[in-house]
Amino acid sequence: MNVLPLLTRRFRDSARGILGWALGVTGVCLLYLPLFPSMRTSGLLGDKLEAMPTAMLDSFGMDAATMGTGWGYTHQTVFGMLGLLLLLVLGITHGARAIAGDEESGALELTLAHATDRRSVLLARLIGIVAVVVALCALVTIIVAALNGPSELELSAAGLVGEGAALTLLVLFHALVAFAAGAATGRRSLALGVATVVAALGWFGHTMGAKVQEHLPAASPFEWAYGASPLSTGPDVGGLLALAAGCLVLVVIAALTFPRRDLRA
């Protein structure tokens, strides 16, 4: 299996884009976290936030009761809002492009014509997605850890590990939804659409689902990742295992469908 050359070429082609995403998530951390001491002192995270409509706070995944704490502020600004959004876009676009994007452009047919096979391509693209997601999520976690003291967040090591692991598996899950859909259909737009719908429904189930049906949040990957507030309580093994199982199922779907279908002309 010619995995290493394929993987090396993939990283070389994506290096500039990955650097841009890394600068983006770094900017999010540097924008929000150093503001925490002054915002807490000024009362912006207390009474003024509680005065906002509850429905609006829920739709953004914000909780006025915990926003005044270091872990609540960090989760709701970085791990649960803008930082998460950027990483989801990164993961989904990379997942959709991995197979379906190259297939639509004709690059995949050229790759397969050069003495390689579909299993090698699939494995190389899968490793590439996992590596990018893990690296960017680890970067976010490391930056938050570095800003923990200067920003007076008072986050624990166990909380950072738990939140970082949850973020990584959550982003990877959605990246693999796009990857599996693209591998099964060869359509990049369809892969993007499926993953986006899954993310939107999951977010709704996590933030607003309990208002519709009591047990609806339990079906959301976002709830598996963040339902137990790992940044405050430490790693949630059950939630992490659920996300890991979902990722494994998606990999199996891609492995079973891609080698057996005809490539799109």
Side-chain angles (χ1 to χ4, degrees), residues 222-240:
F222 291 88
E223 185 72 13
W224 304 343
Y226 294 141
S229 302
L231 192 55
S232 173
T233 60
D236 175 22
V237 177
L240 296 178

Side-chain angles (χ1 to χ4, degrees), residues 86-187:
L86 289 177
L87 290 168
L88 284 175
V89 173
L90 164 72
I92 289 172
T93 53
H94 271 257
R97 191 183 66 180
I99 297 294
D102 281 1
E103 187 171 347
E104 288 186 346
S105 69
L108 183 59
E109 186 176 358
L110 183 62
T111 299
L112 291 172
H114 284 74
T116 188
D117 60 276
R118 295 196 189 193
R119 289 182 300 171
S120 297
V121 171
L122 191 74
L123 181 57
R125 301 297 163 80
L126 174 61
I127 294 173
I129 292 170
V130 173
V132 169
V133 170
V134 170
L136 269 294
C137 291
L139 175 64
V140 170
T141 306
I142 290 170
I143 294 173
V144 172
L147 294 173
N148 185 22
S151 300
E152 303 176 10
L153 301 172
E154 299 180 353
L155 304 175
S156 67
L160 284 168
V161 170
E163 189 87 349
L167 175 69
T168 302
L169 285 174
L170 180 61
V171 174
L172 183 59
F173 175 84
H174 289 90
L176 291 178
V177 169
F179 178 69
T185 65
R187 297 180 180 274

